[in-house]
Amino acid sequence: MSMSRHAAPQVHTSFVGPHLAIIMDGNGRWATANGLSRPAGHEAGLRTARDIVEAAVREGVGTLTLYAFSADNWKRPSPEVTALMRLFRRALIGEAKRCLENGVRLTILGRRDRLPSSLRHTVEQVESLTSTGTRMHLRVAVDYSARDAVIRAAAAMRGNGVSREAFSELLARVDHDAMPAREVDLVIRTGGEQRLSDFLLWECAYAELCFTPCLWPDFGAPELNDALADYHGRERRYGGVGLA
Ligand code: FPP
C-alpha cells in the first residue's frame, strides 16, 4: 500500500444520507458462547464491521460512526488492549484500499496522543488516502469520550457566546475530525445493554435509539436493514408538533 504521509487535507463535503452511529457491543460474550477467546471475538467483530460498512454504503447512509474503543476501555487487561490496538491497525491497512475504491472517506475520531505511534501513523496515512471519498463518511471512534471532547471544546471556546454550529466545529477540531460534528440520526447498540456509554452525547440530542440483544458478531445486513426501515418509519419532531 503506498500512501502519502501528509495529514488529511481539510476537504469539506456534506455527505447525503442519515448519520448512523453504532455501539458494537457483545464480542466478548459471543466468544465465550462459542468457546473462543475474547481476541477471537474481536476478530469476528471486525468481520461484522466490514459487512456493515458495505451494507451501509448500499443503503445510502451518509455518515457511519463506529464506537471501537472508548476512553474507559483502557481499563481492560493490557493483553486485550494490545490485541485491540493491533487489530485496529491491521483493519485500517486492510480497509483503506476498499474504502478508496468505494468512495468512502475514513477518519478516526478521538484523542490520538495515547495511541501507539505506529497506529497514529497508519491513521494519518489512511485519512490522507481516503480524503477524497464523497459517498459515505466512515468514522471509527478510538480512545473516544464524548464528555472529555465537550470539556476540551469548551476550553477552546473564545469569548462569551458561541453558537451550536460553532461548538460543533470545536468538537470536531478537538477530536481530529475533518468536518463539524454532525447530528446523529440513529444509534444502534448491539449486545443488549440500553445506554449510550459516553458516545456522541452532544450529537445524539435528537437521535433515534435502537437497542438489540443481538451480539455484534451476529449482527448482519438483514438486522441493519430492519433497523433502518424502522428508523425511516419514525416521525421526528425535534420538539415540535406532529404532522397528523
Ligand atoms: C465491545 O465488545 C467491542 C469492543 C470494545 C471492540 C470493538 C472492536 C471491533 C468490533 C473490531 C474493530 C472494528 C473496527 C471498525 C476497526 P465487548 O468486548 O465489550 O463485549 P462484551 O460486552 O460481550 O464483553
Side-chain angles (χ1 to χ4, degrees):
M1 181 175 49
S2 88
M3 291 190 287
S4 142
R5 293 193 58 175
H6 300 297
Q10 295 289 306
V11 179
H12 287 272
T13 316
S14 31
F15 291 87
V16 181
H19 180 181
L20 168 63
I22 306 186
I23 302 174
M24 308 178 287
D25 199 10
N27 292 348
R29 278 165 286 162
W30 180 90
T32 304
N34 287 280
L36 299 167
S37 64
R38 289 183 63 84
H42 295 313
E43 292 284 349
L46 175 58
R47 289 194 289 276
T48 294
R50 279 196 200 112
D51 292 347
I52 292 302
V53 169
E54 269 181 21
V57 171
R58 273 199 311 274
E59 293 304 314
V61 169
T63 303
L64 173 63
T65 307
L66 299 177
Y67 204 4
F69 192 87
S70 79
D72 287 324
N73 286 152
W74 293 113
K75 294 177 200 154
R76 293 187 175 211
S78 96
E80 181 171 345
V81 170
T82 304
L84 278 170
M85 293 297 147
R86 288 203 182 119
L87 180 128
F88 295 152
R89 182 154 182 264
R90 189 157 40 82
L92 288 176
I93 292 170
E95 295 315 299
K97 194 159 165 275
R98 233 150 50 103
C99 285
L100 183 66
E101 287 165 358
N102 288 290
V104 174
R105 180 173 196 170
L106 173 52
T107 62
I108 301 298
L109 183 70
R111 286 177 63 155
R112 295 199 178 167
D113 54 306
R114 301 190 289 196
L115 300 181
S117 60
S118 55
L119 175 57
R120 222 166 34 230
H121 180 63
T122 301
V123 165
E124 285 166 9
Q125 288 182 313
V126 170
E127 288 184 337
S128 175
L129 184 77
T130 64
S131 63
T132 51
T134 55
R135 196 157 169 214
M136 188 179 83
H137 186 190
L138 170 60
R139 308 191 310 164
V140 181
V142 177
D143 195 5
Y144 176 81
S145 157
R147 284 183 299 186
D148 288 356
V150 166
I151 288 170
R152 281 179 282 124
M157 271 166 55
R158 298 278 181 267
N160 293 325
V162 66
S163 65
R164 288 178 180 177
E165 290 72 24
F167 193 73
S168 293
E169 284 191 22
L170 286 174
L171 261 188
R173 202 178 311 148
V174 298
D175 263 344
H176 309 274
D177 203 7
M179 275 159 294
R182 194 185 156 192
E183 290 234 4
V184 173
D185 295 300
L186 173 65
V187 176
I188 299 174
R189 180 174 187 143
T190 61
E193 311 290 357
Q194 303 198 1
R195 51 179 173 252
L196 286 178
S197 300
D198 202 9
F199 188 43
L200 303 174
L201 299 181
W202 168 268
E203 296 89 330
C204 280
Y206 280 100
E208 300 291 325
L209 306 177
C210 167
F211 298 107
T212 166
C214 183
L215 302 174
W216 177 246
D218 291 329
F219 193 81
E223 287 76 17
L224 176 71
N225 292 351
D226 286 350
L228 286 171
D230 182 60
Y231 159 76
H232 285 301
R234 294 189 196 184
E235 186 193 358
R236 306 189 70 203
R237 295 192 296 277
Y238 298 96
V241 291
L243 296 172

